[in-house]
Amino acid sequence: GDDNISEEIEELTNLIPSLSDQYKLLGKIGEGTFSTVYKAIDLQHERYDNNSWEMIYDDAMTGDEVSGRFRRPGRRRRSHMVAIKKIYVTSSPTRIANEIAILNDLRGSRFVAPLVTAMRKDDQVVVVLPYFPNDDFRTFYTNLSIDDTRWYMASLLEALRFSHSRGIMHRDIKPSNFLYDIGRRHGVLVDFGLAEREDDQEAAKHRSRHALQMDSSTAARIFRSFDMRGRPGIPRKDTRPALRANRAGTRGFRAPEVLLKIAKQSVAIDIWSAGVIMLCFLTRRFPFFQSTDDTEALLEIAVLYGRLEMERAAVTLGRTFLTNIPTVKDRGIRFESLVKAYNPEGYPVMPPDAYDLLRKLLALTPETRITAAEALEHPFIKNRPV
Ligand code: ADP
Ligand code: MG
């Protein structure tokens, strides 16, 4: 209840006294796996007069290029609100340092939440971000108009183009990490807690050469682990060594190459997750993929794409896809039929462009998946009305 929250806020301000000099904490706005997020007023900001430089974070509507942390105060009203993210002490120090370093590198886009500051006292770390008003995804995914779907995807793809151009994969693209304001048709990407640099992946690839060589001999381990005689879909105990690959992310949003534990992953994993969000809009179903483990997640995808396409994609990725589960047919389901099936009482007819983009975002293999920059040029996004 409220008492608990005030207690937590007091605890936090006691822990980092300098925090209360600069910010007045108002309440809790989010509670994730790795953090609690509070809303606060930026007191220092309030003291700025018209001639001082001030933080920019609130110029979603101006289209100004953001260059650096400060700029001349604009004529527009500013909210002076910040989000204070208290990272749990149980998070590893490398994880915390990584998030702050990546946020620091990702300044300069109005589609990525810029770091205001970060503070540390002993092992407690807080990250301060501008506060972005946003609508709760669960309240709008069932009734977002086609045009608003275009705008939502446009903001998300802008955020991805920016971070991908810096070689950073977010790794946890999902609605709760993309703060979207329907009224302003603007969204901001947050939560780089799992983000990774592509070149760090290069390094990881060299470190795990042994694991990679092992891949060919253990190629089909994931699908061989299905018990072909027992209940379908229940993996048999597999005692072979696990493949080493980063599989961070959220269930239901992991790309096939993540599920197949491919060691070298790319920014394309984020594009897949963006495709899953678009699929939620079209089918009006969230979360779309439900399974809790990777093997079942691959099966859910296989039901959509069919056995033949899954086999082909797996070969491209150096894996083997084997299944005799009856729900996986040779051929998949067209997205058009899928959307119709989930909307029996009708849906505002989606233009063919929508399906074309969806298919390109959800291409099974990363090499054939559309990039964020390309997707922004796609007619479904490009021709959105102002
Ligand atoms: P976690 O790592 O715990 O998932 P996030 O950074 O995703 O932490 O933040 C958790 C939640 O807090 C978000 O889903 C969102 O609802 C809210 N939140 C985070 N940052 C902001 C912000 N800058 N403005 C408004 N709300 C935010
Ligand atoms: Mg989050």
Side-chain angles (χ1 to χ4, degrees):
D2 279 358
D3 280 354
N4 266 340
I5 294 170
S6 357
E7 243 171 66
E8 273 185 49
I9 290 176
E10 202 180 302
E11 214 175 285
L12 183 62
T13 42
N14 286 341
L15 209 62
I16 308 183
S18 59
L19 198 67
S20 43
D21 298 343
Q22 289 178 51
Y23 305 103
K24 182 177 160 50
L25 276 82
L26 300 177
K28 200 188 318 196
I29 49 176
E31 197 152 27
T33 329
F34 304 104
S35 73
T36 304
V37 181
Y38 303 89
K39 188 177 182 177
I41 299 176
D42 183 344
L43 297 170
Q44 224 166 352
H45 187 107
E46 287 204 318
R47 287 200 293 271
Y48 288 163
D49 61 34
N50 263 349
N51 296 318
S52 65
W53 294 79
E54 64 181 342
M55 299 288 233
I56 34 149
Y57 44 73
D58 203 1
D59 53 358
M61 297 307 286
T62 63
D64 289 351
E65 265 305 311
V66 178
S67 57
R69 282 183 72 186
F70 302 95
R71 59 161 231 181
R72 282 283 180 195
R75 284 119 298 173
R76 288 161 305 100
R77 191 180 59 82
R78 295 182 189 281
S79 65
H80 314 295
M81 293 293 182
V82 293
I84 298 182
K85 179 172 177 172
K86 181 179 86 172
I87 302 176
Y88 296 146
V89 288
T90 46
S91 302
S92 83
T94 20
R95 189 184 177 280
I96 298 172
N98 179 62
E99 177 168 2
I100 292 171
I102 284 181
L103 275 176
N104 203 36
D105 285 1
L106 285 181
R107 294 175 196 281
S109 164
R110 51 195 195 95
F111 302 99
V112 175
L115 182 69
V116 171
T117 187
M119 302 176 188
R120 182 185 69 90
K121 178 78 192 309
D122 305 325
D123 49 5
Q124 180 63 71
V125 173
V126 299
V127 171
V128 182
L129 303 163
Y131 174 80
F132 292 98
N134 61 91
D135 295 287
D136 184 341
F137 187 78
R138 278 160 300 191
T139 66
F140 66 77
Y141 75 92
T142 53
N143 54 21
L144 199 66
S145 72
I146 298 173
D147 283 343
D148 281 323
T149 305
R150 298 179 203 265
W151 279 95
Y152 181 104
M153 292 306 294
S155 270
L156 179 56
L157 289 163
E158 287 281 8
L160 292 180
R161 173 169 65 176
F162 182 76
S163 60
H164 293 176
S165 74
R166 307 280 155 111
I168 289 164
M169 34 185 156
H170 183 279
R171 295 207 73 102
D172 200 15
I173 296 298
K174 59 176 171 179
S176 64
N177 288 338
F178 182 62
L179 310 178
Y180 190 71
D181 183 333
I182 298 176
R184 301 170 79 186
R185 290 186 157 171
H186 182 258
V188 184
L189 186 56
V190 295
D191 195 357
F192 286 78
L194 297 174
E196 195 178 6
R197 292 172 210 278
E198 271 186 329
D199 31 340
D200 287 353
Q201 281 250 318
E202 276 305 309
K205 180 183 151 193
H206 292 298
R207 276 198 303 279
S208 63
R209 183 162 306 150
H210 181 71
L212 280 176
Q213 281 167 354
M214 204 173 60
D215 283 2
S216 51
S217 61
T218 56
R221 63 177 292 276
I222 294 160
F223 280 92
R224 288 212 184 111
S225 68
F226 275 95
D227 187 341
M228 299 303 186
R229 294 146 302 159
R231 283 175 299 155
I234 306 302
R236 194 196 301 151
K237 191 170 160 48
D238 188 341
T239 51
R240 279 164 290 187
L243 295 179
R244 286 208 280 149
N246 191 337
R247 47 178 302 286
T250 300
R251 73 190 175 98
F253 290 91
R254 292 194 187 101
E257 62 271 29
V258 178
L259 297 171
L260 285 166
K261 300 182 173 58
I262 304 300
K264 191 186 180 312
Q265 296 162 14
S266 72
V267 294
I269 64 172
D270 293 338
I271 300 294
W272 173 275
S273 312
V276 175
I277 296 180
M278 189 172 171
L279 188 57
C280 293
F281 288 134
L282 267 62
T283 58
R284 300 178 168 189
R285 199 183 162 89
F286 171 72
F288 185 84
F289 294 113
Q290 308 272 354
S291 59
T292 44
D293 71 74
D294 288 355
T295 317
E296 274 180 43
L298 276 166
L299 276 178
E300 280 186 289
I301 296 173
V303 170
L304 286 188
Y305 284 82
R307 188 180 57 82
L308 298 174
E309 263 206 67
M310 286 300 277
E311 283 174 359
R312 213 174 305 132
V315 167
T316 310
L317 292 167
R319 295 281 191 270
T320 308
F321 178 86
L322 287 176
T323 182
N324 66 347
I325 289 167
T327 45
V328 179
K329 309 285 182 230
D330 282 356
R331 292 186 194 287
I333 307 162
R334 285 180 61 76
F335 283 125
E336 285 84 341
S337 322
L338 187 76
V339 167
K340 204 175 263 171
Y342 280 124
N343 296 283
E345 73 286 15
Y347 190 83
V349 178
M350 275 286 161
D353 283 349
Y355 293 103
D356 187 70
L357 177 61
L358 185 65
R359 269 189 291 276
K360 288 170 173 162
L361 295 168
L362 292 175
L364 280 178
T365 57
E367 288 74 22
T368 53
R369 207 168 296 147
I370 198 168
T371 66
E374 288 163 358
L376 284 162
E377 295 299 315
H378 188 280
F380 183 70
I381 303 297
K382 188 102 184 154
N383 302 337
R384 65 191 185 280
V386 208

